[in-house]
Amino acid sequence: MHPSTNSENLITIPKPKPATTSAFEGLGNLVHLLPTGTVIIFQFLSPILSNNGECSQTNRSLTGALIVISGLACFLSSFTDSYKDSIGFKRYGIATSTGIWPGSHGQDLSEYRLRIGDFVHAFLCLIVFAALALLDNNSVMCFYPSFGATQKVLIKVLPVVIGPVAGAIFVVFPNRRHGIGFPSTASSPKNGSSTP
């Protein structure tokens, strides 16, 4: 049989994915480790502040400030946690070397103190967010619009490298905090929150 040439039997070749699509897919499994509100705000404001990637110097400055502020929020959010007070209300605070601040009077919150893993987690959250933000299409078009074909390979490969490395480190130093902006999980020890 000879191949038919009618339109029903034509083989369509899918278009290659843009570099930013591949980047987002590569980081997809790590994005849930970032504060949801920060990522949503970044994705909402990025096209506005970068003028959809057609940046003037002002747009570049505003987009850079958005990336820095959002990255700082991701870093600092790693040091927040929640607990249930004696009445049963969920309370949020900042992890310190002695427990959570501000704490509930008469309640021992020393199990929520800072650990080395908190700093590792904060640093990796910052790296994952930086990769996500700097591979965003608007950021690419704003900060480095003249990327050639060889540099686009970096954009495709970077998430593939960051993903397994960060994932392996997150396995060694798991984050058990349920801080501000992070989704809650079904499992929770005594006091209704996590044990760092």
Side-chain angles (χ1 to χ4, degrees):
M1 290 184 110
H2 297 296
S4 176
T5 56
N6 66 23
S7 62
E8 293 175 6
N9 294 333
L10 288 179
I11 298 173
T12 58
I13 300 173
K15 293 181 183 178
K17 294 180 183 177
T20 53
T21 302
S22 298
F24 282 123
E25 287 176 1
L27 290 173
N29 60 342
L30 294 175
V31 170
H32 74 278
L33 298 171
L34 298 176
T36 346
T38 304
V39 175
I40 289 171
I41 288 171
F42 173 78
Q43 290 178 339
F44 176 74
L45 291 178
S46 177
I48 296 168
L49 297 179
S50 69
N51 194 24
N52 289 320
E54 297 178 17
C55 289
S56 65
Q57 186 58 39
T58 304
N59 295 113
R60 217 172 269 114
S61 299
L62 290 172
T63 304
L66 175 65
I67 291 171
V68 168
I69 290 169
S70 298
L72 186 61
C74 284
F75 184 81
L76 294 176
S77 293
S78 298
F79 299 105
T80 61
D81 204 349
S82 62
Y83 66 95
K84 287 196 177 176
D85 64 10
S86 56
I87 303 172
F89 289 115
K90 190 173 193 176
R91 304 285 182 190
Y92 290 94
I94 299 170
T96 66
S97 60
T98 58
I100 289 188
W101 178 83
S104 179
H105 297 296
Q107 197 170 359
D108 180 25
L109 300 175
S110 62
E111 65 182 290
Y112 298 99
R113 68 183 181 280
L114 281 176
R115 306 228 194 288
I116 292 173
D118 295 327
F119 293 96
V120 172
H121 188 263
F123 180 70
L124 285 175
C125 279
L126 184 62
I127 289 174
V128 170
F129 177 76
L132 176 78
L134 295 175
L135 295 177
D136 176 62
N137 190 43
N138 295 315
S139 299
V140 170
M141 296 305 296
C142 189
F143 292 113
Y144 30 93
S146 61
F147 255 24
T150 55
Q151 286 112 347
K152 287 188 179 182
V153 171
L154 175 67
I155 291 175
K156 290 181 181 180
V157 170
L158 189 61
V160 176
V161 172
I162 289 176
V165 171
I169 294 173
F170 280 137
V171 168
V172 175
F173 295 101
N175 182 26
R176 294 184 181 98
R177 296 202 182 274
H178 298 114
I180 300 169
F182 291 96
S184 297
T185 58
S187 64
S188 57
K190 71 176 190 173
N191 294 342
S193 185
S194 59
T195 307

